[in-house]
Amino acid sequence: MRKNYELEKRKYIIGGFIVIVALVYLVRLFDLQINDAKYKQSADSNAFLKKTVYPSRGLVYDRNGELVVFNQPAYDVMMIPRDVHPFDTLDFCATLNITPDDLNRRLDDMRRSAGYSTYTPQRLLAQLSVQDYGRLQEKLYRFPGFFIQKRILRQYNHPTAANVLGNIREVNADDIERDDYYSPGDYTGDLGIEKSYETYLRGVKGVEVLMRDAHGRIQGRYEDGAHDVAPVSGRDLRLSLDIGLQMYAESLMVGKRGAVVAIEPETGEILCMVSMPSYDPTLLVGRQRGVNYRALVQDNSWPLFDRALMGAYPPGSTFKPTQGLIFLQEGIITLETTYPCSHGYISGGLRVGCHGHASPLPLKPAIQTSCNAFFCWGFKAMIDKRSKYGTSAAAFEVWKHHLVSMGYGYKLGVDLPGESRGFLPNDRFYNRFYGEGHWSANTVISVAIGQGEILATPLQIANLSATIANRGHFITPHVVKEIQDTVMPVEFLQRHYPTIEARHYDAIAEGMRMAVTGGTCRRAAIPGIEVCGKTGTAQNPHGKDHSAFMGFAPYQNPRIAVAVYVENGGWGATYGVPIGSLVMEKYLTGTIAPERKPMESMMMNSSIIYANTQR
Amino acid sequence: MPIRRDNDAASVFRNLDWPTVLIYLIMVVAGMVSIYAASYDFDNASMFAADEFSGKQLRWIGLSLVLGMVILLIDARMYETYAYPVYILVVILLAITPVIAPNIKGSHSWIEVGSMRLQPAEFAKFATALALAKLFAGYHFQLNAKVSNYVKALAIIFVPILLILLQNETGSALTFLALFFVLYREGMSGLVLFGALFAVVIFVVGLKFTEGTVIGMPSGQFAVMVMIMIVMVGMSAAYARRLEIARNILVGMFGLGAVVAVLSACGVTLPGLYVTVGAVAVACIYVVIEAIKLHRPRLYAPVAAAVCAVVFLFSIGAAFDYLQPHQQMRIKVALGTVEDLRDAGYNVNQSKIAIGSGGFLGKGFLNGTQTKLKYVPEQHTDFIFCTIGEEEGFVGAMIVTLLFLGLILRILSIGERQPTTFGRVYAYCVASYFIFHFCINIGMVIGLCPVIGIPLPFFSYGGSSLWGFTILLFILLKIDASRKSVMVY
């Protein structure tokens, strides 16, 4: 092989290059490690305490700018075990108001806890009282290795809306595993907006680098805070709730179980969202949180269960408007179509009862009088119309898809955790139950009037009300109106159009108007305001019928849509209608007309006795 | 000439380059110990516990040794024969990796094989080296003979670079640029390396010194313009084979400088940008005229260099904006224009503190506090050198540096003693990779280079990197061990 000696010399260039680089690196290492004392000093870990600075959590305001949730400081006693020198334990215990046994027990617990290390800060005591904090702060210099960590707790201006506001709790091992942001002892949102808006509310933690002497005493900030990281406060939230309306609705629901949901139809903003029984959110703040939380969990009236969005109830007659819409859309009926009602629907040996009113009757009066027979006949006409759909199962699927588009059967996507999807049966459900081809309209007739297998949340019912108020569209309901310095997620801004054409909604709205002027919900009438409404009286396996109401007002350009559900309240007109109309009146006029005061006080003072085992 | 069939296992071990093997073994063992130290958290398990990083690394090392043995037992000629198929296979693997790889920290570069995660980019190193060596070993192949030879060589280098860039692994991709050392050794003009070096200088000076102004332009830009003139002077002198041209440019430069100085002393501010660019332009025109007069086309080189340099200088800003924000930040931190101790600068600052606190002899094994207390991120992977610097001090860091220097020089000398072009080019490829990883990794840890996430060979935790470099090195050892059995004619 021919050797090219000219090129071979280039090995010296390459070799020389790497030798020079190595030399430069060695000089640099020498400079860093031997010459410059700065780094040695910096690294002397004894000299440093990296203290986490907690950002203030975002505040929560209601739609009118009234402060609802704010922060209060709390103080934890922390220690770095490696830095603790023998200290006067009796003095320490006296300062903190604990017994030496208590101290030893806490130390043992700490050592056994996950994530224990003698090098990192460990928590000895949580949430000192202000007095204890003051006493300890003065004597802290006597206890090297201990320091006080400031944390943020929540405080509430009104004892209301616990289900929406939620609360904060200490993180558990799962939280820390799931999200790098958390370290033991941090707080995270639990329930309500505190949970669903956690990433906005929490902000970003900061760090303060403090210098200590050999005895662990703080000597000041390192390099005047050049290495500190300032915390970033959490973003404030502005709720769509009207906190006054919320408290008013809660007062009407006292002594009853159920839910009230009011929505501003144009925006999908939830104006109030009551779940009863409720609790004071301040119960879940501070050292008593554990005890109170356990009590709430064990309370057999389920106060932690947000009935407004977790409770799946038979919607009863509030469901009938959906049926009218589907029949119109599918061309099963026109506005002139009439069905007979002979105190009920009688077909093939089956009887669904009804009450006395004119017969036969078309759609609008059927809604006005809440005629069971009309909707049963319509349902039968649709489901058994083999000429159009082929089979009952196929017809049922069409029926179901319309309902899904109106927000039933699936979660609406409200910005709160734990929403239930309600229940809509599909053809497979009935095929499994009755066998394929062995069921028809009459087999499942009760779904036509919102009974049977159908379940809906009060939120879904309110959303239907808003959809009718808007004459054919809705915006996903949400409780947060604005996030500070951020735009709202697009899903809370865009309109959803159900598969029903807008023109069909007018008849339904008119029927609901007629129900107030001369039908089942006459008590909903508010002087000077055209109210629309629909009652519901839902049979259920838990005893007395549930009382339900769905309505909106004013008739033209509605500003509020509401749904009320009172467990075992009897007729829709008994509780549902008065509570719903009072909430609308309060929101629209800011007051209650004198002639309606008796009704108001009756609602506020009436209670329902519940057997304690049900949910 | 007789062909010796000298390929049995015994002869392999007889002819093996034991110094290299020794350095290799020292490095992997030291690496495992460092990983143990880096991930040790005080109340901790044994170094060999299977679920610790060090235990896992031990498993990787065991497998590497097996791999090394297998490589040594394969007939050396196989590597040359199958160079292209291996290369193509790896390229295909690189191409499908972004598609089948799960997203791990924003990068799609890991494929999962059973419970193992492998990074194909690490295996592209040896495949590319084999392919490049095979190309150069072609009959009568002379890099400078045809332009197409450059095209082929550059294609072999840049295909993996592009594919790895698609996986969002900029660091690994840049590694292959080191192969320009190989091209240089095989005949590429030194001007390319010089040009690259000059470009880096322009980049650093142009970006770093933006504070002060000289005759109305940023001092860094002014300095670069002066440098460009000086380079022109030097190149004209070298290419013209006479000194008049260079002298004339120099005289003009000083004359202009004097005029500018006098004018600014009198309070007249000149538009510095036009003056300097104009000066370079005039010099270029002068050199072009001389080139035509003297019939020396080589004199166009200084003109081309000057034009490129000026264009480059004024496009840095735009080019810089094209980088991703975190990359911009890392470069600024390395240049020292931004002292961001919290964010991008945090790693480097913490790693300097950790190393700096080591002192002469270090804090002792497992006694490092900076790395233990998780001040230094990625301490068991890219920043492993920190742990060594902190716990073993200047002595330890120096030993590691010298080990790498020794390894690289040894590989270069192995390269030069190869009787075949294939062996030599392969050796230079191996050396180039080590040079790049050594320079960048240690450079970033001690704050002299921007942070580019590539591992320190044999030290950083990770199976792919260890396997990749082991394969790279052991193929070289095998080729070297059987060099006496190849036909030499």
Side-chain angles (χ1 to χ4, degrees), chain B residues 91-388:
Chain B
V91 164
I92 292 172
L93 190 61
L94 284 179
I96 60 172
T97 299
V99 184
I100 58 172
N103 185 350
I104 294 168
K105 290 182 186 167
S107 132
H108 290 271
S109 61
W110 303 81
I111 49 174
E112 286 174 340
V113 184
S115 64
M116 289 189 299
R117 277 189 189 154
L118 292 177
Q119 208 171 11
E122 291 296 337
F123 300 99
K125 286 198 174 85
F126 84 91
T128 308
L130 284 176
L132 204 59
K134 171 93 174 176
L135 176 74
F136 280 89
Y139 187 64
H140 278 223
F141 183 92
Q142 280 289 323
L143 185 58
N144 286 329
K146 285 185 287 188
V147 175
S148 67
N149 287 347
Y150 272 105
V151 173
K152 286 177 197 163
L154 291 179
I156 288 177
I157 296 174
F158 275 93
V159 166
I161 290 185
L162 292 177
L163 290 174
I164 295 169
L165 280 178
L166 286 182
Q167 301 166 8
N168 219 353
E169 279 289 310
T170 320
S172 304
L174 292 178
T175 309
F176 292 83
L177 291 180
L179 295 175
F180 275 84
F181 282 122
V182 180
L183 301 188
Y184 172 68
R185 169 62 185 84
E186 295 305 315
M188 182 184 72
S189 165
L191 275 178
V192 176
L193 290 189
F194 177 73
L197 189 69
F198 193 45
V200 171
V201 171
I202 292 178
F203 189 78
V204 170
V205 174
L207 275 180
K208 188 175 167 89
F209 303 102
T210 50
E211 294 283 303
T213 55
V214 179
I215 53 167
M217 68 192 293
S219 54
Q221 287 189 359
F222 179 79
V224 170
M225 293 306 287
V226 171
M227 273 191 269
I228 291 171
M229 291 294 281
I230 291 169
V231 166
M232 268 193 83
V233 169
M235 285 177 79
S236 325
Y239 288 123
R241 294 266 169 89
R242 64 178 76 180
L243 294 174
E244 286 86 19
I245 301 172
R247 189 198 61 202
N248 292 343
I249 300 176
L250 211 57
V251 168
M253 220 174 103
F254 278 114
L256 181 67
V259 171
V260 170
V262 169
L263 281 177
S264 33
C266 300
V268 182
T269 32
L270 294 166
L273 186 67
Y274 296 107
V275 172
T276 49
V277 173
V280 171
V282 169
C284 284
I285 292 168
Y286 169 66
V287 173
V288 168
I289 292 169
E290 288 293 331
I292 294 168
K293 275 204 299 204
L294 297 170
H295 298 290
R296 286 197 69 88
R298 296 189 68 186
L299 262 180
Y300 292 124
V303 176
V307 170
C308 290
V310 171
V311 170
F312 180 69
L313 174 65
F314 291 106
S315 57
I316 291 174
F320 195 65
D321 288 342
Y322 187 70
L323 292 174
Q324 293 178 22
H326 74 273
Q327 291 169 336
Q328 291 183 7
M329 206 60 190
R330 287 174 178 183
I331 290 171
K332 284 181 184 165
V333 166
L335 291 177
T337 53
V338 170
E339 182 149 351
D340 183 2
L341 297 176
R342 284 156 201 158
D343 208 13
Y346 178 81
N347 291 9
V348 175
N349 188 49
Q350 288 301 334
S351 106
K352 284 197 294 195
I353 290 177
I355 291 181
S357 69
F360 186 70
L361 284 172
K363 297 177 185 169
F365 183 54
L366 300 186
N367 285 330
T369 47
Q370 293 299 293
T371 46
K372 299 283 164 321
L373 293 176
K374 323 274 184 220
Y375 284 105
V376 183
E378 305 292 334
Q379 49 195 307
H380 59 287
T381 57
D382 295 348
F383 280 79
I384 189 77
F385 191 69
C386 262
T387 310
I388 299 165

Side-chain angles (χ1 to χ4, degrees), chain A residues 1 10 25 33 43 228, chain B residues 184 188 342 370 394 439 489:
Chain A
M1 190 194 120
R10 291 185 165 186
Y25 284 7
Q33 299 191 287
D228 293 3
Chain B
Y184 172 68
M188 182 184 72
R342 284 156 201 158
Q370 293 299 293
F394 179 68
C439 291
Y489 51 97

